[in-house]
Amino acid sequence: MGKSFAVIGDPIDHSLSPNIHSAAFRELDLDSSYIAYRIPKGELEDGIGGLKKIKIDGFNITIPHKIEMMKYLDKIDESCSLIGAVNTVSNKDGILKGYNTDMDGFLEPLKKKELNINGVKVLLIGAGGAARAIVAGFAKEKAKSITIANRTLEKATNLSKFAKTIGLDANAIEIEDIKDTAKDYDIIVNATSVGLKNESSVIELKGINEKTIVYDIVYMPMNTDFIKKAKAEKAIIIYGYEMLLGQAVRSFEIWHGIEAPYNAMKKALLGGF
Ligand code: ATR
């Protein structure tokens, strides 16, 4: 029998994950299917029950369930316990195992482009679930230090404590205190949701140069105002879709145990824009 997969979240109708995974199935001739399934906040337990009933083989989790989903796991991979949030689940005979592929997904485009982040100074904007996976990634790759800027200072302070516990030198500031200091960093990451609705970037990027890496995790639209400002300064750009692709590739490999067809998945993703 064919295998079945899903992505759960709310909203979910604009998710590109079904396109990406279906393209991989076609490319490799796998008898599998992948659907988007809307589960509103507060209905996660029932939703998971339904997925178990139909013997789903695996699923991705997106906003707003990434943290709450931890409660319904039978087994927890190290990536998942470290980050405290889950975005990928495998189901083996009713045993749900959780993974977090956001960290690897974030690092993947940097590795593909051979951009070394060992010893770099990082400015991270945002302190939510995605930011936490990114902090774990910079700790793993031994960045020199990270400044976490967030609208709500308390959340930045908490995330900065987490960074220190995993061996990364960190400090927390409010976004407005970044002022004209962007040029002092080697890599600047937007991990807020700002840009999704075409808003202006929360910071200015004046003074950065062609060696500065600017990474936006917002993938829709592809060219956010933040990316446009970085391009104007001739910085090295990493788009949000590259992280999305990276985490999808990792999820695919967890579920199927074979190498993911990267190019077919990328093509399907870019076709979705
Ligand atoms: P995710 O799982 O995608 O990280 P999240 O945990 O809800 O989502 O985090 C969203 C991030 O975007 C937070 O850092 C949030 O800032 P607050 O902690 O102050 O809420 C940030 N964010 C959302 N809208 C914002 C806005 N209009 N201006 C600045 N930051 C914003």
Side-chain angles (χ1 to χ4, degrees):
M1 207 180 89
K3 291 188 171 178
S4 52
F5 300 90
V7 56
I8 63 169
D10 187 23
I12 203 69
D13 45 341
H14 293 298
S15 172
L16 293 172
S17 294
N19 307 30
I20 306 173
H21 285 276
S22 300
F25 302 155
R26 272 196 306 279
E27 180 73 14
L28 299 180
D29 247 332
L30 297 176
D31 181 19
S32 296
S33 58
Y34 188 112
I35 57 156
Y37 177 33
R38 189 173 78 90
I39 300 182
K41 209 177 171 72
E43 294 178 23
L44 184 59
E45 188 167 13
D46 284 350
I48 299 301
L51 289 172
K52 279 180 138 177
K53 225 172 245 165
I54 63 161
K55 298 192 166 49
I56 195 100
D57 292 281
F59 52 97
N60 286 126
I61 301 99
T62 185
I63 290 173
H65 304 305
K66 282 189 184 183
I67 293 171
E68 202 198 338
M69 183 63 214
M70 295 288 288
K71 283 199 293 208
Y72 304 108
L73 299 174
D74 303 299
K75 289 184 176 177
I76 299 180
D77 180 69
E78 200 183 315
S79 58
C80 196
S81 51
L82 176 71
I83 298 163
V86 50
N87 78 328
T88 304
V89 170
S90 68
N91 179 17
K92 292 228 164 68
D93 304 319
I95 306 289
L96 301 186
K97 181 169 180 184
Y99 301 81
N100 193 309
T101 68
D102 282 338
M103 181 183 86
D104 286 340
F106 175 77
L107 294 175
E108 217 247 8
L110 292 161
K111 290 189 174 156
K112 249 200 159 63
K113 294 180 173 141
E114 295 182 1
L115 296 167
N116 185 17
I117 52 170
N118 184 307
V120 296
K121 282 181 74 180
V122 183
L123 174 60
L124 174 66
I125 310 156
R132 206 171 149 94
I134 292 167
V135 165
F138 281 117
K140 185 178 174 213
E141 297 300 318
K142 303 199 165 24
K144 180 167 186 250
S145 64
I146 192 164
T147 295
I148 303 166
N150 198 45
R151 179 177 59 182
T152 315
L153 181 60
E154 193 193 353
K155 282 172 74 183
T157 306
N158 287 339
L159 189 55
S160 133
K161 283 182 191 149
F162 167 68
K164 286 178 194 156
T165 63
I166 57 173
L168 181 57
D169 180 14
N171 70 301
I173 61 172
E174 279 178 44
I175 288 177
E176 56 196 48
D177 291 331
I178 298 173
K179 297 199 171 78
D180 63 352
T181 63
K183 61 181 185 318
D184 301 340
Y185 298 91
D186 304 304
I187 174 163
I188 303 168
V189 182
N190 174 42
T192 71
S193 47
V194 177
L196 260 174
K197 295 178 194 142
N198 270 312
E199 310 96 310
S200 296
S201 154
V202 291
I203 71 161
E204 293 304 319
L205 294 172
K206 286 265 165 350
I208 64 168
N209 59 50
E210 72 286 348
K211 284 189 188 139
T212 314
I213 302 168
V214 175
Y215 195 149
D216 198 346
I217 73 159
V218 171
Y219 62 84
M220 188 77 94
M222 190 167 7
N223 279 295
T224 57
D225 179 58
F226 181 67
I227 292 285
K228 285 181 193 158
K229 283 182 169 137
K231 280 184 175 169
E233 306 296 321
K234 304 194 164 50
I236 301 165
I237 307 290
I238 303 186
Y239 294 97
Y241 83 79
E242 298 178 78
M243 174 174 173
L244 179 69
L245 184 60
Q247 64 78 29
V249 161
R250 263 307 283 142
S251 294
F252 182 96
E253 291 175 348
I254 286 166
W255 291 329
H256 302 275
I258 51 175
E259 195 182 329
Y262 181 90
N263 288 325
M265 293 169 85
K266 180 175 177 180
K267 209 172 142 195
L269 171 55
L270 293 176
F273 284 97

